[in-house]
Amino acid sequence: MPSSPHLTFITGASRGLGAALAAQRLHEGHQVIGISRRASPELAALAAARGARLVQWTLDLTEPEPAAHQLAEWLGMQDPQAFASATLINNAGAITLPGPLADTPLDEAARGLRVGLEAALLLCAAFLHATQAWPVPRKVLNISSGLGRRAMAGSAVYCAAKAGMDHFTRAVALEQAALPNGARLSSLAPGVIDTDMQIKLRDANPAAFPERERFMQLQRLGQLDSPATAATKVLAYLDRPDFGQAPVADVRDA
């Protein structure tokens, strides 16, 4: 591990794409802080085997403000010279039961927006404020979706969260570009990944979710990336020298 490790925060780090992102960064010697509702024994075992530093914060991002405060307080206690870079990856998301917005329980809709949009925005704000004087490269990678750019019936809450993520990333990228050591940001669609979200879409009631067959076909045709494959593509994009030049991007167009 390098004497000054890269520092990487990852939300939704206990499973799916988030766990794969965390695993790859641990293999590379990053200090990883995972933020999820539950800790991952697999990541803990990997970190121990690799001699990598992993901290897992068990936080529920349906209440994002305490998580943002914890991130800011932790960063405020660190020596900025101890790290080669600092990165926040907002990966956590929540999908409601596929179906019309009119039939979506209000608490589910609120949860989807809090996890998918409010938490990402607040954590981004806390990260940028706490590290604004750090003399190291800083990046924010927001994991978006093609559904933030193309509406789909039966997924209004998820579409809204990802569209909001794209647009706040555009705005904050403009703000940071005006600063002498501004952070670089991108809201990246990672492609179609074989995760729990895909299972939920394939299991949806076709009467409530008319695009169900399209997602079933993606699986039948083998067009879903594994989380590990998707993580490799996402991190390759994050590590590009021109990361941040496009505040809204798609890994498939890279």
Side-chain angles (χ1 to χ4, degrees), residues 55-248:
V55 178
Q56 300 193 74
W57 294 348
T58 52
L59 299 170
D60 186 349
L61 292 181
T62 60
E63 297 292 339
E65 191 172 349
H69 282 301
Q70 181 167 328
L71 183 147
E73 290 169 5
W74 187 91
L75 285 168
M77 294 186 293
Q78 306 308 306
D79 175 7
Q81 305 291 339
F83 302 104
S85 69
T87 299
L88 168 65
I89 301 178
N90 278 310
N91 163 74
I95 185 169
T96 59
L97 186 68
L101 180 64
D103 297 335
T104 302
L106 296 182
D107 59 340
E108 276 196 34
R111 176 176 176 271
L113 289 175
R114 286 180 184 141
V115 175
L117 179 57
E118 185 181 349
L121 189 148
L122 292 182
L123 289 169
C124 181
F127 174 82
L128 293 174
H129 180 77
T131 61
Q132 60 188 337
W134 286 29
V136 299
R138 297 175 300 137
K139 297 178 182 180
V140 176
L141 174 61
N142 292 324
I143 301 297
S144 185
S145 169
L147 294 183
R149 302 150 205 181
R150 181 186 69 83
M152 183 173 73
S155 296
V157 174
Y158 189 79
C159 289
K162 294 305 184 182
M165 172 180 279
D166 284 352
H167 212 46
F168 94 68
T169 303
R170 290 185 181 100
V172 179
L174 291 172
E175 297 166 358
Q176 291 293 309
L179 301 177
N181 185 35
R184 289 183 285 164
L185 298 91
S186 187
S187 188
L188 182 70
V192 189
I193 309 169
D194 195 7
T195 61
D196 291 345
M197 173 183 167
Q198 287 289 322
I199 295 172
K200 187 175 285 191
L201 294 174
R202 293 194 299 267
D203 289 345
N205 180 351
F209 184 56
E211 296 212 38
R212 172 177 176 264
E213 177 57 32
R214 183 167 74 85
F215 289 93
M216 295 182 69
Q217 187 175 26
L218 287 172
Q219 184 192 40
R220 285 197 299 266
L221 297 177
Q223 294 179 346
L224 300 176
D225 278 344
S226 69
T229 297
T232 297
K233 294 178 181 178
V234 166
L235 293 176
Y237 188 89
L238 175 62
D239 292 340
R240 285 170 40 161
D242 64 348
F243 175 83
Q245 287 189 7
V248 174

